[in-house]
Amino acid sequence: MKNNIAHDERIAHLTFASVYPHYLAKVEKKGRTKEELQQVIAWLTGFDDKMLEEQITNKVTFETFFQNAVLNPNAELIKGVICGYRVEDIENPLTQKVRYLDKIIDELAKGKKMEKIMRSTQ
């Protein structure tokens, strides 16, 4: 993904709370649960349920959300296309992290097994 400063800025200033209901609706529509959604978010970010709820309640931006997160070391194993871009080719670190999140939520909604989504290396 080529540098697109306006796009990256827009993503940085979006609040996680404004997008979370869409994530939840997407996975529930496909028969997955809120608990599964929170499990994959926890895998990527290190947030437990309480910490995730605080991010939502405080209406943090994606920039703050990922500053507060401890990204899973296996996140770099997330590959593929989301929103028309290959996540591994995205140059802006924050935009890439947001797209990692989008990608694993998309995989959850598509019925992929949790072990695959969470890039188990066992």
Side-chain angles (χ1 to χ4, degrees):
M1 176 177 180
K2 297 287 183 217
N3 283 336
N4 183 334
I5 294 168
H7 179 261
D8 293 337
E9 285 293 315
R10 188 176 59 83
I11 287 176
H13 293 102
L14 270 175
T15 63
F16 178 75
S18 70
V19 179
Y20 181 80
H22 299 287
Y23 289 153
L24 182 58
K26 180 178 188 170
V27 300
E28 287 181 337
K29 180 179 165 186
K30 297 293 186 164
R32 301 306 284 258
T33 66
K34 179 179 180 178
E35 291 74 24
E36 289 173 310
L37 173 62
Q38 292 189 190
Q39 184 179 355
V40 298
I41 294 172
W43 171 83
L44 181 64
T45 64
F47 294 140
D48 62 21
D49 289 350
K50 182 178 183 228
M51 294 165 66
L52 183 61
E53 192 57 42
E54 287 172 4
Q55 304 303 307
I56 295 168
T57 301
N58 294 334
K59 295 185 168 82
V60 300
T61 63
F62 270 111
E63 184 172 37
T64 302
F65 181 84
F66 280 105
Q67 285 172 349
N68 294 339
V70 177
L71 204 65
N72 189 296
N74 286 342
E76 64 186 29
L77 300 175
I78 300 170
K79 308 259 191 251
V81 177
I82 191 76
C83 300
Y85 300 103
R86 294 206 68 77
V87 293
E88 61 269 28
D89 295 339
I90 296 172
E91 294 173 5
N92 180 284
L94 176 60
T95 301
Q96 186 177 51
K97 291 172 188 171
V98 173
R99 295 306 182 201
Y100 282 160
L101 181 60
D102 291 342
K103 182 69 177 164
I104 63 173
I105 291 169
D106 191 52
E107 291 173 350
L108 180 65
K110 288 181 177 178
K112 204 169 193 183
K113 291 183 179 185
M114 295 298 277
E115 300 79 32
K116 296 271 190 186
I117 296 169
M118 296 189 290
R119 287 15 186 214
S120 296
T121 56
Q122 301 158 331

